[in-house]
Amino acid sequence: MDRATLIHPTLPGHRTDRTLLVSGSGSRVRDAEGREYLDASAVLGVTQVGHGRAELARAAAEQMTRLEYFHTWGPLGNDRAVELAGRLATLAPDPLSRVYFTSGGAEGNEIALRMARLYHHRRGEPERTVVLSRRTAYHGIGYGSGGVSGFPVYHEGFGPSLPDVHFLTPPHPYRRDLYSGADVTEFCLAELRDTIERVGPERVAAMIGEPVMGGCGAVVPPADYWPRVAELLRSYGILLISDEVVTAYGRTGHWFAAQHFGVVPDIMVTAKGLTSGYIPHGAVLTGERVAEVVTGDQGFPVGYTYTGHPTACAVALANLDIIEREGLLANAAGIGEYLGGRLAELTELPVVGEVRRLGLMMAVELTSDRATRRPLPNGTGAVADALREQAAVILRTNPYALVINPPLVLSREEADELVDGLRSVLVRTGPDGHVR
Ligand code: PLP
């Protein structure tokens, strides 16, 4: 039935194998045949509080039996949306106190891009339409969010893409070949300044970026990258949009990665961990400076059907309660430290190029040659398949790295199990990427 009916993202048509997950608890999930797996991916970097939380189901049921749904269009609203907006405003760094709800990450980035362009338009600079992004950025697959995503696959065959987007070099220290021997931050800053000057500062609306890039595997920039980028953008009147869809709500050991890097963006996009994926939801946060302009006398003219969905808001509130009550930010930092140390042991294996991490956002970069840092010629898919089939560990991959984003409730024993499983497969992985 699956093969006959379901269109899976990113699944080559010739593959007939399927693994259907049917239940879960904590950091574990079970398939239809009763096999248990360690979920080292938190599904898609989403399930902060782990699987199977009855408390979240109860929050949804209580809300659905009282008022299942009402929007926040015009003067109408609902109590849950107001409550959650207030809660997020207290958690987020100042001055991010205004909140717009979505049903996911791409939707949030669409709103952020519209807010940025509208902000300049209404302030009398309608020619500010250019958006700066980075190659290998991932911001979702909407027209705008896909248009600022920096992998060719999101553009080829779907054209024409969103106009007025310029892609910059990502701050990826492992890929030293990108910087011709220069310091990573110096190189990126010079390129940013040159690009703005070439395009014309009066034409640039915003720069969008993930604090830690997820698509190419937990790429953590040098500590001075974001502060200096933010300062340069500010000097040109360009807005900074931070895509915290993965990093927000504890993944990095903080509520928001902004707090780790000490940089507060003009617009911050969040989703995933807001509800731990129990129900789709997202939130875009901005400060009064932007909100005042984009709401203004004419109001903010665009809304989603499900904006401010009260059941999603109720689940988010209960999810934030769990994160607070169980100290999951501290656990992400502590277990992240422990798991990071254990993963670092794997760098003795010839196929491991680097281990990167911030909190519980991690990646193991694989290589066919440590000297040149060449990626595995056939990608990392065979390693992920072997991990799932032979070590009962589920994680995500990209062409270069194994991506590890476990639930924030991961225990030390589970961290050990994950590393042992990884080692058992990586010791048998050849430079061609095949597992013996
Ligand atoms: N932004 C980032 C950084 C993401 O990682 C993702 C999804 O993985 C998105 C945006 C898109 O979110 P969604 O799939 O909920 O639309």
Side-chain angles (χ1 to χ4, degrees), residues 24-29 37-40 50-51 406-411 414:
S25 172
S27 298
R28 296 182 191 276
V29 287
Y37 302 84
L38 185 63
D39 175 12
H51 299 277
L408 309 189
V409 294
L410 192 81
S411 67
E414 287 164 338

Side-chain angles (χ1 to χ4, degrees), residues 44 104-107 109 138-141 210 243 245-246 271-272 396:
L44 292 171
E107 283 192 2
N109 284 321
Y138 185 65
H139 299 295
I141 56 162
E210 305 147 77
D243 179 347
V245 167
V246 173
K272 299 195 187 239
R396 292 196 73 203

Side-chain angles (χ1 to χ4, degrees), residues 13-226:
H14 64 267
R15 279 189 70 155
T16 55
D17 60 311
R18 301 288 189 272
T19 302
L20 301 188
L21 287 318
V22 296
S23 65
S25 172
S27 298
R28 296 182 191 276
V29 287
R30 250 157 262 102
D31 72 13
E33 270 130 44
R35 182 148 194 239
E36 194 170 87
Y37 302 84
L38 185 63
D39 175 12
S41 63
V43 190
L44 292 171
V46 173
T47 316
Q48 317 295 65
V49 300
H51 299 277
R53 294 278 194 162
E55 185 176 341
L56 298 188
R58 278 196 301 275
E62 276 164 23
Q63 184 60 40
M64 281 187 183
T65 44
R66 187 160 67 79
L67 177 66
E68 77 296 338
Y69 162 55
F70 217 92
H71 58 72
T72 57
W73 286 66
L76 298 176
N78 68 75
D79 54 348
R80 282 289 182 244
V82 177
E83 195 181 339
L84 180 60
R87 181 93 169 257
L88 295 183
T90 58
L91 292 178
D94 286 339
L96 302 178
S97 60
R98 302 293 301 273
V99 183
Y100 185 101
F101 288 118
T102 70
S103 298
E107 283 192 2
N109 284 321
E110 303 295 327
I111 291 299
L113 294 168
R114 284 182 186 270
M115 276 184 176
R117 284 181 169 175
L118 189 65
Y119 169 80
H120 295 297
H121 183 89
R122 287 199 176 156
R123 293 177 75 243
E125 294 187 274
E127 65 288 355
R128 277 203 194 246
T129 55
V130 169
V131 180
L132 306 174
S133 183
R134 280 102 44 94
R135 290 187 287 282
T136 68
Y138 185 65
H139 299 295
I141 56 162
Y143 183 66
S145 53
V148 296
S149 290
F151 289 93
V153 69
Y154 302 117
H155 302 271
E156 283 164 15
F158 297 120
S161 289
L162 184 75
D164 286 356
V165 179
H166 291 257
F167 289 100
L168 305 164
T169 306
H172 193 342
Y174 178 78
R175 291 255 154 265
R176 58 192 173 197
D177 49 309
L178 296 176
Y179 312 100
S180 343
D183 173 80
V184 174
T185 305
E186 295 299 343
F187 181 97
C188 292
L189 259 285
E191 185 193 43
L192 176 59
R193 192 180 298 106
D194 290 350
T195 306
I196 294 169
E197 290 294 340
R198 196 180 68 247
V199 171
E202 71 290 347
R203 290 199 53 228
V204 186
M207 175 170 168
I208 184 166
E210 305 147 77
V212 177
M213 295 177 88
C216 41
V219 174
V220 185
D224 62 342
Y225 174 84
W226 280 118

